[in-house]
């Protein structure tokens, strides 16, 4: 799962990795979405094979898990953009890297 994510990141257009302010939110949204998707896919894979979800928020239907992951991606993307807009470049980068890293460790 992680190899596929790294490969897909390597194949992305290099314009997304530019340091221009107008590309930050696109990159953040893309990376957040890929990491959340990997986590969601691995969760569904495990649940289909009899494992149990240990996170009480993620228990229930697949639709609920997808909605919560979509909310997570939206909030993290918004938070990074707001932090960057207010001059907190380091904290914005921490959100851009930290949230996907947490998703990928859970995947």
């Amino acid at each position: 799962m992680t190899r596929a994510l790294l490969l897909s990141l390597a194949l992305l257009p290099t314009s997304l990795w530019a340091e221009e302010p107008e590309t930050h939110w696109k990159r953040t949204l893309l990376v957040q979405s890929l990491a959340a998707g990997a986590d969601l896919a691995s969760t569904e894979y495990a649940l289909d094979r009899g494992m149990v979800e240990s996170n009480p928020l993620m228990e229930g239907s697949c639709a609920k898990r997808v909605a919560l992951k979509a909310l997570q991606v939206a909030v993290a993307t918004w938070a990074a953009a707001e932090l960057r807009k207010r001059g907190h470049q380091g904290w914005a980068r921490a959100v851009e890297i930290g949230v996907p890293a947490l998703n990928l460790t859970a995947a």
Side-chain angles (χ1 to χ4, degrees):
M1 184 70 64
T2 305
R3 285 184 187 168
L5 178 64
L6 291 175
L7 179 61
S8 62
L9 288 176
L11 297 175
L12 291 175
T14 55
S15 62
L16 286 175
W17 306 113
E19 287 299 320
E20 292 123 22
E22 61 272 2
T23 63
H24 285 295
W25 73 270
K26 294 175 188 175
R27 178 183 61 214
T28 303
L29 180 63
L30 180 68
V31 173
Q32 298 282 346
S33 299
L34 288 172
D39 183 25
L40 196 56
S42 66
T43 298
E44 293 304 316
Y45 180 83
L47 291 174
D48 287 344
R49 281 147 185 78
M51 302 294 281
V52 178
E53 175 63 64
S54 60
N55 182 350
L57 286 175
M58 298 297 276
E59 289 177 348
S61 70
C62 179
K64 178 182 175 185
R65 285 188 289 279
V66 169
L68 285 171
K69 283 295 176 181
L71 179 64
Q72 174 196 351
V73 167
V75 168
T77 302
W78 172 81
E82 284 296 310
L83 286 165
R84 196 169 293 286
K85 183 170 73 173
R86 294 173 188 205
H88 301 290
Q89 307 301 324
W91 285 110
R93 182 60 62 123
V95 170
E96 291 170 350
I97 294 170
V99 175
L102 289 172
N103 275 322
L104 290 177
T105 57

